[in-house]
Amino acid sequence: ERLSQDLAALQGVERGSFKLAILTTVKYTVPKLLGGFCAAHPGIEVAMVVGNRENLLQRLANNQDDLYIMGQPPDNLDLVCEDFADNPLVLVAPPSHPLAGQKRLSPQRLTNEPFIWREPGSGTRLTAERFFAEKGIAVKTRLEVGSNEAIKQTVAGGLGLAVLSATTVVSELALGELVQLDVQGFPLIRRWHVVYARGKRLSAATLAFKQWLFDHR
């Protein structure tokens, strides 16, 4: 099958397939890029899996997909990791929160504020917890929620603050359902990475999509 795809690519015929696994947070951006790629390359078939960090790490360890898109690649596997876009993390609150609208807040103002987090091991959570630990801030965990959508609704309901990828809260901020707090040190800048096992031979279709990501990031 791979030989057939490679011969087709040499002849200028666009065909083939690849498997893509993406982090749940990336579902707000990458599927749009994938849609544009599929429209430009209708002969290429794509299977996409969306999962949390634990899911993707398990699939990566088992070599189940051709490409993975995640924020924080693991250190214990021999991987090729290429960063292709910023992933800013913002601090959001309900519009009624006492800190809403205040400028240049010190991170210490967040001491003992209740936070809504993703599950342990989440890349966003790890980054935020590292930031608060470096500042000597004790944040209180009120809830652990399994999806960004549930976190947004919980924060909008007034149960606490949350650190989320900016791409996940564009609509809620525009509609006034959430507000972004102006805290020194935020946004926390992370990067999105394209990841695959070192030594893995990528098909022509996979390489074409990887290039598309970098061209349209």
Side-chain angles (χ1 to χ4, degrees):
E1 181 182 359
R2 179 62 54 79
L3 177 60
S4 175
Q5 293 179 19
D6 290 347
L7 290 173
L10 288 172
Q11 295 169 357
V13 179
E14 292 203 343
R15 44 182 299 213
S17 63
F18 66 92
K19 294 180 180 179
L20 175 68
I22 69 172
L23 202 64
T24 51
T25 307
V26 197
K27 70 181 183 181
Y28 298 90
T29 53
V30 169
K32 295 178 182 178
L33 293 173
L34 182 60
F37 174 81
C38 291
H41 305 273
I44 296 178
E45 298 179 0
V46 184
M48 184 176 72
V49 173
V50 181
N52 61 24
R53 179 175 170 80
E54 184 179 352
N55 298 147
L56 260 62
L57 291 181
Q58 186 63 51
R59 295 183 68 88
L60 182 55
N62 294 333
N63 194 28
Q64 291 179 249
D65 310 279
D66 295 301
L67 290 180
Y68 300 82
I69 297 180
M70 59 179 61
Q72 189 171 326
D75 297 324
N76 61 333
L77 297 175
D78 189 15
L79 305 170
V80 176
C81 306
E82 302 177 52
D83 62 289
F84 69 94
D86 281 339
N87 174 28
L89 306 182
V90 297
L91 183 60
V92 295
S96 59
H97 196 279
L99 298 179
Q102 297 190 36
K103 301 297 183 184
R104 301 289 295 163
L105 290 165
S106 166
Q108 278 66 33
R109 295 285 297 276
L110 303 175
T111 300
N112 293 323
E113 284 282 347
F115 271 76
I116 316 298
W117 295 111
R118 284 292 298 267
E119 68 281 353
S122 156
T124 297
R125 178 172 179 171
L126 289 171
T127 301
E129 288 181 332
R130 188 181 305 117
F131 170 81
F132 290 128
E134 290 172 353
K135 300 293 182 182
I137 299 169
V139 294
K140 184 171 71 174
T141 297
R142 185 163 196 174
L143 287 173
E144 291 181 354
V145 183
S147 74
N148 291 324
E149 296 301 323
I151 288 179
K152 291 187 288 185
Q153 294 303 316
T154 305
V155 173
L159 291 181
L161 309 180
V163 177
L164 291 169
S165 173
T167 60
T168 69
V169 293
V170 172
S171 297
E172 289 77 10
L173 292 176
L175 294 171
E177 297 172 357
L178 298 173
V179 295
Q180 181 176 333
L181 296 185
D182 184 9
V183 175
Q184 296 177 39
F186 280 86
L188 306 176
I189 303 299
R190 299 177 70 216
R191 297 282 291 172
W192 289 123
H193 296 82
V194 178
V195 179
Y196 54 95
R198 190 177 304 279
K200 186 179 182 73
R201 184 169 176 270
L202 301 182
S203 69
T206 307
L207 288 170
F209 177 69
K210 187 161 75 78
Q211 187 60 50
W212 182 274
L213 279 179
F214 283 88
D215 291 344
H216 296 83
R217 53 190 167 182

